[in-house]
């Protein structure tokens, strides 16, 4: 009886400690979290996972309490919840930083929990989802060299995970410092409108270090980090919407790079034709049209998932399905600065190419590009180097790629968009509306024929005649004559042409030994 009593007593102690980390043990803290418009960490996990089922690891962990001002610290789980569950029937690893426990700060033992979780991701090929809400590394431990001198292997681990498993971050509250560093190494980042922030340092530290007075939203609100900096990919209206975006994003990706992306039977006929495609490109090449409409019409119905929709709006990136197969699209958007490629657009495109290549997702290019941005402002953005990275990532990619020239295919930007034979596209076709050349005809004529135009009896008429003559050589039929592209297609057949090409390609192209180098160096 005494032995049984000891076991029961021990179990009661275990249950008491486990209960301390539950929401119901801290009703006032949870109420404050809800008042801020946020779900609790455990509520978020329940919404993210299938049926809310969660296998927790480390629930009974306590903080170290071995440095100044931590002797009486109460932090169940050391402020971080870690464990495993299923998303769309596939295993995933979850770590959620709990803002209701010491402001979501984490100590050394919480770090061990996250490292253990990421080790499982590496070994078994699980996606990692981080739900970030809090202050990062706990200040008291950070101000003790016993703790901080060793640094952390966390970022090496994130580097190891990159390209092996999908890494996703949702910034769902304060996210300055450590959480932003975690998110910066994720493949896909979501912020929540009005409640989340990201950045290297928050207002208090910025004020102390530089004297600058800035609000948290001015430093790192969604308008800054999603729309202007592109550090985060999307902004959600609330926690539930953010978790829905994560589930949707992961539905396009394999669990790890050794597997193929999931194929879904969408029920959309492969030979479906859209008559509206015949009239979507304006006769006047200076008039814009919405490339999103073309993407929507040629993709499987309801399958388009755009990534970074509010950042670098002159280029569109995202996933869609073609006859159930996942495709990553990169498309110029004439509605914004004519689809001209800027430094931000190049960064956006380059990262997306790398993402698709990591997980065996074929690339689809829809081209209407008048060139790279020019001028002193463009040069100050480092466009020459950024454009190099866009080209470099395409050259390194091993997945199939298809290019469709919708209208303008001008200059090096055409090459950077996988135009023609530049990067061994598995299919390169053009619509009858295509114009392909080395640069804008008007600009080229003004440069090459300036003197001839000046000395002509009627300069304006001579300039117009030259432009018309050169423009007559830019059409798609002339492009296919010399086999620079594979075919000129009826716009209504775009969908079936892409699907047919994809049906004869695998997830990867066979590697060709072009050089003996061991590891290529990406332009930064």
């Amino acid at each position: 009886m005494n032995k049984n009593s000891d076991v029961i007593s021990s179990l009661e102690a275990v249950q008491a400690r486990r209960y301390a980390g539950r929401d119901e043990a801290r009703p006032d803290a949870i109420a404050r979290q809800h008042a801020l418009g946020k779900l609790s960490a455990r509520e978020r996990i329940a919404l993210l996972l299938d049926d809310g089922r969660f296998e927790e690891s480390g629930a009974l962990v306590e903080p170290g309490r071995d440095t100044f001002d931590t002797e009486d610290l109460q932090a169940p789980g050391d402020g971080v919840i870690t464990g495993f569950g299923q998303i769309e029937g596939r295993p995933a690893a979850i770590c959620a930083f709990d803002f209701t426990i010491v402001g979501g700060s984490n100590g050394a033992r919480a770090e061990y929990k996250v490292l253990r979780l990421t080790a499982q991701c590496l070994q078994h090929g699980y996606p990692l989802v981080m739900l970030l809400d809090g202050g990062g590394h706990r200040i008291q431990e950070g101000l003790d060299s016993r703790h901080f001198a060793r640094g952390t292997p966390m970022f090496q681990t994130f580097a190891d995970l990159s390209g092996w498993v999908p890494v996703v971050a949702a910034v769902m509250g304060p996210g300055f410092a450590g959480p932003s560093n975690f998110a910066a190494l994720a493949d896909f980042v979501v912020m929540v409108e009005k409640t989340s922030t990201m950045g290297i340092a928050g207002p208090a530290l910025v004020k102390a270090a530089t004297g600058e007075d800035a609000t948290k939203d001015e430093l790192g609100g969604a308008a800054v980090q999603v729309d202007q900096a592109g550090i985060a990919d999307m902004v959600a209206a609330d926690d539930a919407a953010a978790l829905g975006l994560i589930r949707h994003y992961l539905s396009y990706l394999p669990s790890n790079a050794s597997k193929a992306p999931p194929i879904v039977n969408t029920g959309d006929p492969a030979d479906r034709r859209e008559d509206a495609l015949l009239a979507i490109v304006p006769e006047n090449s200076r008039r814009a049209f919405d490339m999103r409409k073309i993407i929507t019409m040629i993709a499987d119905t309801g399958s388009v998932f755009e990534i970074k929709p509010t950042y670098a709006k002159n280029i569109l990136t995202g996933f869609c399905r073609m006859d159930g197969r996942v495709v990553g699209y990169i498309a110029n958007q004439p509605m914004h600065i004519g689809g001209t490629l800027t430094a931000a657009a190049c960064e956006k495109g380059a990262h997306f190419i790398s993402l698709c290549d990591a997980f065996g997702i074929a690339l689809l290019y829809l081209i209407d590009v008048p060139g790279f941005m020019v001028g002193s402002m463009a040069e100050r953005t480092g466009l020459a180097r950024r454009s190099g990275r866009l080209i470099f990532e395409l050259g390194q990619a091993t997945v199939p790629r298809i290019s469709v020239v919708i209208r303008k295919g001008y200059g090096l930007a055409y090459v950077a968009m996988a135009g023609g034979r530049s990067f061994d596209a598995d299919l390169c076709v053009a619509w009858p509306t295509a114009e392909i050349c080395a640069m804008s005809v008007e600009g080229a004529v003004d440069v090459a024929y300036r003197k001839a135009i000046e000395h002509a009896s009627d300069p304006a008429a001579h300039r117009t005649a030259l432009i018309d003559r050169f423009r007559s050589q830019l059409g798609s039929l002339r492009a296919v004559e010399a086999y620079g592209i594979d075919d000129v297609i009826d716009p209504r057949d775009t969908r079936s042409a892409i699907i047919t090409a994809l049906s004869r390609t695998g997830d990867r192209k066979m590697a060709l030994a072009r050089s003996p180098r061991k590891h290529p160096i990406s332009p930064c």
Side-chain angles (χ1 to χ4, degrees):
M1 289 293 293
N2 288 338
K3 187 173 183 180
N4 287 343
S5 297
D6 290 343
V7 171
I8 291 171
S9 178
S10 296
L11 286 173
E12 288 173 347
V14 168
Q15 292 305 318
R17 180 174 293 185
R18 195 184 305 278
Y19 178 77
R22 301 293 181 184
D23 289 358
E24 51 268 31
R26 297 169 290 109
D28 292 343
I30 300 303
R32 288 193 294 271
Q33 180 83 344
H34 289 166
L36 293 171
K38 302 191 294 183
L39 299 174
S40 73
R42 293 188 180 278
E43 288 170 336
R44 290 164 175 164
I45 292 170
L47 266 181
L48 177 66
L49 298 177
D50 298 350
D51 302 321
R53 296 177 183 175
F54 183 54
E55 175 196 348
E56 187 169 356
S57 173
L60 305 180
V61 167
E62 289 283 292
R65 303 191 183 99
D66 59 350
T67 192
F68 174 71
D69 200 27
T70 63
E71 296 85 357
D72 299 316
L73 182 65
Q74 299 301 309
D78 207 17
V80 181
I81 302 167
T82 55
F84 308 92
Q86 301 247 323
I87 298 177
E88 299 290 340
R90 298 184 293 172
I94 318 296
C95 64
F97 292 74
D98 193 338
F99 187 73
T100 68
I101 297 176
V102 202
S105 64
N106 56 281
R109 295 182 182 181
E111 180 183 327
Y112 299 154
K113 290 171 62 174
V114 177
L115 285 170
R116 163 75 174 161
L117 191 76
T118 54
Q120 295 284 295
C121 292
L122 280 171
Q123 292 166 8
H124 301 291
Y126 304 147
L128 173 65
V129 179
M130 298 178 286
L131 307 180
L132 305 170
D133 185 4
H137 196 277
R138 193 165 297 139
I139 289 176
Q140 291 85 349
E141 292 190 14
L143 296 180
D144 185 334
S145 63
R146 267 191 318 175
H147 284 282
F148 200 71
R150 65 187 287 269
T152 174
M154 188 74 74
F155 296 102
Q156 176 64 62
T157 302
F158 280 125
D160 294 338
L161 289 173
S162 180
W164 167 234
V165 298
V167 179
V168 177
V171 184
M172 311 184 85
F176 289 111
S180 290
N181 297 134
F182 293 165
L185 292 170
D187 311 323
F188 180 69
V189 182
V190 180
M191 294 182 75
V192 179
E193 193 172 9
K194 297 180 181 179
T195 62
S196 64
T197 53
M198 291 177 66
I200 296 300
L205 184 55
V206 168
K207 175 68 173 176
T210 69
E212 179 187 358
D213 284 306
T215 68
K216 61 184 178 63
D217 287 326
E218 288 171 340
L219 286 171
V224 173
Q225 302 294 19
V226 177
D227 301 341
Q228 298 174 30
I231 305 299
D233 296 285
M234 303 180 79
V235 60
D238 53 29
D239 284 6
L243 298 168
L245 286 173
I246 290 172
R247 288 180 62 93
H248 196 180
Y249 171 83
L250 289 174
S251 72
Y252 293 91
L253 296 173
S255 294
N256 59 65
S258 73
K259 300 179 183 297
I263 294 176
V264 174
N265 182 1
T266 63
D268 195 350
D271 59 355
R272 173 173 55 81
R273 304 175 97 220
E274 294 286 347
D275 288 338
L277 290 171
L278 289 174
I280 199 165
V281 177
E283 288 186 17
N284 184 345
S285 64
R286 292 182 176 273
R287 286 187 57 199
F289 63 92
D290 191 351
M291 188 68 82
R292 283 193 181 95
K293 292 182 179 179
I294 294 179
I295 295 167
T296 300
M297 282 190 274
I298 65 176
D300 289 358
T301 301
S303 72
V304 177
F305 182 75
E306 188 173 350
I307 295 174
K308 293 188 185 296
T310 61
Y311 175 69
K313 295 180 182 180
N314 43 323
I315 195 168
L316 307 177
T317 57
F319 298 129
C320 66
R321 286 191 166 85
M322 292 284 186
D323 199 26
R325 178 171 171 175
V326 180
V327 171
Y329 64 82
I330 300 176
N332 307 114
Q333 174 55 299
M335 298 292 289
H336 292 275
I337 57 175
T340 303
L341 291 178
T342 57
C346 291
E347 283 292 316
K348 176 177 172 178
H351 179 269
F352 187 70
I353 293 168
S354 181
L355 171 67
C356 290
D357 191 47
F359 296 109
I361 296 172
L363 292 166
L364 169 63
Y365 286 83
L366 300 176
I367 304 171
D368 182 13
V369 63
F372 288 105
M373 183 62 72
V374 297
S376 59
M377 290 296 293
E379 298 303 337
R380 292 191 191 102
T381 64
L383 178 56
R385 180 60 64 89
R386 300 294 179 257
S387 62
R389 186 179 173 219
L390 178 65
I391 294 167
F392 176 87
E393 292 294 350
L394 177 55
Q396 291 297 307
T398 61
V399 292
R401 69 289 307 261
I402 292 170
S403 66
V404 183
V405 187
I406 305 297
R407 188 166 61 178
K408 297 175 184 174
Y410 289 3
L412 183 60
Y414 169 69
V415 173
M417 291 292 294
R421 309 298 182 198
S422 306
F423 289 97
D424 192 28
D426 296 276
L427 177 70
C428 48
V429 295
W431 283 13
T433 48
E435 301 175 356
I436 304 173
C437 60
M439 63 183 71
S440 162
V441 173
E442 291 83 356
V445 166
D446 289 341
V447 170
Y449 292 90
R450 178 176 59 85
K451 290 185 177 180
I453 292 171
E454 288 175 353
H455 291 94
S457 58
D458 187 341
H462 188 55
R463 180 178 183 271
T464 299
L466 285 169
I467 289 171
D468 290 344
R469 176 65 181 84
F470 282 115
R471 191 172 291 284
S472 70
Q473 301 179 165
L474 310 186
S476 53
L477 195 58
R478 189 173 177 90
V480 79
E481 283 177 9
Y483 203 42
I485 58 175
D486 293 317
D487 203 356
V488 179
I489 62 171
D490 184 325
R492 295 170 294 183
D493 294 328
T494 305
R495 171 178 167 81
S496 60
I498 293 167
I499 290 172
T500 299
L502 289 172
S503 69
R504 58 176 169 77
T505 64
D507 295 326
R508 302 278 180 191
K509 296 164 74 76
M510 288 185 64
L512 298 177
R514 295 189 178 93
S515 71
R517 66 177 179 246
K518 182 178 181 182
H519 188 81
I521 301 171
S522 172
C524 62

